[in-house]
């Protein structure tokens, strides 16, 4: 039986204790042992608290909540702290991690909390309490996981991930591509595949999961690439949990050289769980000031989550487009040089419509060569990537103080 876990909860009036309790399944062996209304706790009170984890439940953008997270981190070191809030605004998520949070989850307003969300909260709490073992102890073995991220819709995440996956597969690497854009995933479409089975079917299949069973849910692409497709309908997305994904990644690492994960434009709990175990991050940005600024925020967040800049490859898509920004401006906003520049090319939308990635069509265009060079980077240096050390001690703190926390701002197509 799972060991019982004790949690303390500090909350504001937007997140009453009743709501928080409803987010924790009754049969989860997680006990709320202390409750604080408000965040005005001093170091002495925190030191005296006898709990495995602190939950801070707050309105989006709450500076007082993050002050408490930071104080907890200072006073209690490795004892985990998790933020529950009403939205996943990127700047607030980043500020929470900067303050020392181990995880960030989005609250449901109630009155009826979806069972699956409560399971996610249970999983995140268990993960938080057990993950403080050393990075070496929990470092995943086997295939390299590459998580493709981008701060908004339409920047080229799916173009990058499908071409990367296909290019690795045609070079003889056992590669699987997972579509984690759970509501609007279009990986199968971009590869010309008809998804007979999806991540949703896998999630609701019941019973225990092993490598043989998982194989039944992988689509076969002519390049040799295997694909785990996104659910067919947006409402099916909730069935796919971070817990399921963690099991799927562990099983796939045993059989595959590369696991490429395409994502939605938001730090959802599934994306955070993926970033947590990724060896590499491929960050896709577009050549406009807003995308570059948001990419910079994303890069900063990754560093706070324990990924060194060497584990991150930046793809600058639609590079060279004349939008009044010079290459030097782009580097300045991004804070680093992009690793790959993909120009705008009509061939790309045509290839999506045809369902044939440009890295497979024999094209010698600059765009095709650029994306192929991305695959070459991972091929030539796969061993050097280590899974991130997500223990808080590895985080660079104090870099991104939350002097200014942005008001709630919806991420494109996100929550
Ligand atoms: N370099 C490019 N040149 C021309 N069109 C592009 C380029 N990159 C992406 N596109 C087009 O932009 C659209 C969005 O790309 P996609 O990869 O689906 O974005 P995301 O997955 O980030 O939402 C697609 O229709 C694609 O064909
Ligand atoms: Mg996409």
């Amino acid at each position: 039986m799972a060991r019982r876990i004790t949690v303390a909860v500090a909350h504001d009036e937007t997140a009453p204790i009743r709501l928080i309790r409803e987010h924790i399944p009754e049969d989860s062996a997680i006990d709320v042992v202390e409750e604080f209304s408000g965040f005005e706790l001093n170091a002495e009170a925190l030191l005296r608290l006898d709990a495995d984890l602190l939950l801070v439940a707050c309105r989006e953008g709450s500076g007082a909540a993050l002050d408490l997270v930071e104080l907890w981190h200072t006073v209690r070191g490795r004892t985990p702290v998790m933020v529950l809030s009403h939205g996943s605004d990127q700047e607030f998520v980043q500020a929470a991690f900067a303050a020392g949070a181990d995880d960030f989850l989005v609250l449901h307003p109630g009155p009826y909390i979806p069972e699956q969300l409560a399971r996610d909260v249970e999983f995140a709490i268990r993960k938080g309490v057990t993950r403080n073992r050393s990075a070496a102890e929990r470092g995943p073995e086997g295939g390299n996981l590459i998580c493709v991220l981008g701060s908004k819709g339409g920047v080229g995440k799916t173009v990058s991930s499908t071409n990367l996956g296909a290019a690795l597969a045609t070079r003889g690497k056992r590669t699987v591509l997972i579509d984690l854009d759970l509501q609007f995933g279009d990986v199968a479409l971009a590869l010309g595949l008809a998804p007979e089975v999806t991540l949703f079917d896998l999630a609701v299949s019941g019973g225990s999961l092993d490598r043989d069973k998982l194989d039944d849910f992988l689509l076969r692409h002519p390049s040799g690439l295997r694909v785990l497709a996104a659910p067919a309908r947006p409402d099916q997305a909730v069935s796919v949990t971070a817990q399921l994904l963690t099991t799927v990644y562990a099983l796939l690492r045993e059989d595959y050289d590369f696991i490429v994960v395409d994502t939605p434009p938001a730090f959802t709990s599934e994306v955070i769980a993926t970033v947590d175990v990724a060896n590499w991050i491929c960050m896709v940005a577009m050549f406009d000031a807003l995308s570059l600024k948001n990419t910079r925020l994303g890069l900063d967040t990754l560093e706070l989550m324990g990924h060194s800049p060497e584990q991150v490859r930046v793809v600058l898509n639609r590079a060279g487009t004349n939008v009044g920004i010079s290459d030097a401006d782009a580097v300045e906003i991004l804070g680093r040089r992009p690793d790959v520049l993909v120009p705008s090319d009509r061939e790309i939308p045509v290839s999506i419509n045809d369902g044939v990635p440009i890295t497979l069509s024999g094209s010698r265009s600059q765009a095709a060569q650029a994306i192929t060079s991305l695959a070459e980077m991972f091929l030539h240096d796969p061993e050097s990537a280590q899974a991130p050390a997500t223990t808080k001690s590895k985080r660079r703190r104090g870099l991104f103080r939350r002097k200014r926390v942005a008001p709630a701002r919806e991420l494109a197509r996100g929550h």
Side-chain angles (χ1 to χ4, degrees), residues 159-192:
V159 165
S160 302
S161 62
T162 48
N163 276 286
L164 176 60
L168 291 169
T170 49
R171 279 157 183 75
K173 293 293 172 190
R174 290 181 57 83
T175 307
V176 59
L177 173 56
I178 302 180
D179 192 348
L180 213 57
D181 191 347
L182 297 174
Q183 292 195 299
F184 303 102
D186 43 15
V187 160
L189 194 72
L191 289 166

Side-chain angles (χ1 to χ4, degrees), residues 328-373:
D329 291 341
V331 172
E332 168 95 31
I333 303 172
L334 270 179
R336 67 179 269 172
R337 274 190 184 285
D339 298 279
V340 176
L341 302 173
V342 182
S344 265
D345 192 328
R346 205 184 136 264
E347 203 176 71
I348 290 181
V350 171
S351 79
I352 296 260
N353 292 340
D354 292 347
V356 181
I358 53 168
T359 46
L360 298 186
S361 63
S363 162
R364 301 203 51 76
S365 68
Q366 254 191 316
Q369 286 181 29
I371 300 192
T372 303
S373 74

Side-chain angles (χ1 to χ4, degrees), residues 382-400:
E383 302 303 325
S384 63
Q386 300 291 318
T390 39
T391 49
K392 287 188 284 188
S393 56
K394 280 269 182 171
R395 291 188 186 137
R396 286 173 57 192
R397 300 183 61 251
L399 278 178
F400 307 103

Side-chain angles (χ1 to χ4, degrees), residues 41-60:
L41 290 158
N42 61 26
E44 202 188 329
L46 297 187
L47 268 173
R48 275 204 313 266
L49 248 179
D50 185 15
D52 296 320
L53 177 141
L54 175 67
L55 280 181
V56 177
C58 61
R59 66 166 57 79
E60 206 174 23

Side-chain angles (χ1 to χ4, degrees), residues 112-408:
Y112 302 108
I113 312 301
E115 158 86 16
Q116 200 44 67
L117 176 61
R119 291 286 163 216
D120 280 351
V121 173
E122 175 188 358
F123 175 65
I125 291 174
R126 286 207 168 279
K127 186 177 71 168
V129 172
T130 50
R131 85 198 285 197
N132 279 328
R133 285 177 269 145
S134 74
E137 222 178 299
R138 56 167 212 90
E141 301 273 322
N144 280 282
L145 194 147
I146 305 170
C147 183
V148 179
L149 296 176
S151 60
K152 52 176 199 158
V155 293
K157 294 179 292 299
T158 302
V159 165
S160 302
S161 62
T162 48
N163 276 286
L164 176 60
L168 291 169
T170 49
R171 279 157 183 75
K173 293 293 172 190
R174 290 181 57 83
T175 307
V176 59
L177 173 56
I178 302 180
D179 192 348
L180 213 57
D181 191 347
L182 297 174
Q183 292 195 299
F184 303 102
D186 43 15
V187 160
L189 194 72
L191 289 166
L193 293 170
E196 290 131 24
V197 280
T198 71
L199 257 169
F200 172 70
D201 301 303
L202 174 64
V204 298
S205 63
S208 62
L209 185 58
D210 59 28
R211 285 146 76 189
D212 285 341
K213 178 174 168 187
L214 181 54
D215 192 55
D216 292 341
F217 293 90
L218 301 182
L219 311 176
R220 271 108 175 113
H221 187 261
S223 63
L225 179 67
R226 298 284 190 267
V227 176
L228 189 47
R233 294 199 320 259
D235 59 290
Q236 296 173 338
V238 290
S239 304
V240 181
T241 63
Q243 191 168 11
L244 170 75
L245 292 168
T246 306
T247 310
V248 166
Y249 297 148
L251 291 172
L252 291 175
R253 278 185 201 273
E254 294 182 35
D255 284 338
Y256 289 86
D257 300 314
F258 288 99
I259 301 148
V260 181
V261 184
D262 190 19
T263 62
F267 271 100
T268 62
S269 56
E270 299 80 35
V271 171
I272 290 175
T274 306
V275 168
D276 255 357
V277 297
N279 306 76
W280 295 95
I281 304 294
C282 178
M283 181 65 102
V284 186
M286 221 161 60
F287 208 69
D288 72 58
L290 197 59
S291 168
L292 292 169
K293 178 190 146 282
N294 285 337
T295 302
R296 172 71 177 264
L297 271 177
L299 291 171
D300 292 346
T301 306
L302 287 171
E303 206 167 334
L304 293 166
M305 292 172 80
H307 284 279
S308 69
E310 296 76 43
Q311 288 173 278
V312 181
R313 293 286 172 269
V314 177
V315 175
L316 187 51
N317 194 15
R318 297 174 186 265
T321 315
N322 189 2
V323 286
I325 304 173
S326 69
D327 288 359
D329 291 341
V331 172
E332 168 95 31
I333 303 172
L334 270 179
R336 67 179 269 172
R337 274 190 184 285
D339 298 279
V340 176
L341 302 173
V342 182
S344 265
D345 192 328
R346 205 184 136 264
E347 203 176 71
I348 290 181
V350 171
S351 79
I352 296 260
N353 292 340
D354 292 347
V356 181
I358 53 168
T359 46
L360 298 186
S361 63
S363 162
R364 301 203 51 76
S365 68
Q366 254 191 316
Q369 286 181 29
I371 300 192
T372 303
S373 74
L374 177 66
E376 300 288 343
M377 280 180 190
F378 295 115
L379 278 171
H380 290 137
D381 203 11
E383 302 303 325
S384 63
Q386 300 291 318
T390 39
T391 49
K392 287 188 284 188
S393 56
K394 280 269 182 171
R395 291 188 186 137
R396 286 173 57 192
R397 300 183 61 251
L399 278 178
F400 307 103
R401 316 287 295 190
R402 2 156 254 301
K403 288 206 180 75
R404 179 182 56 87
V405 171

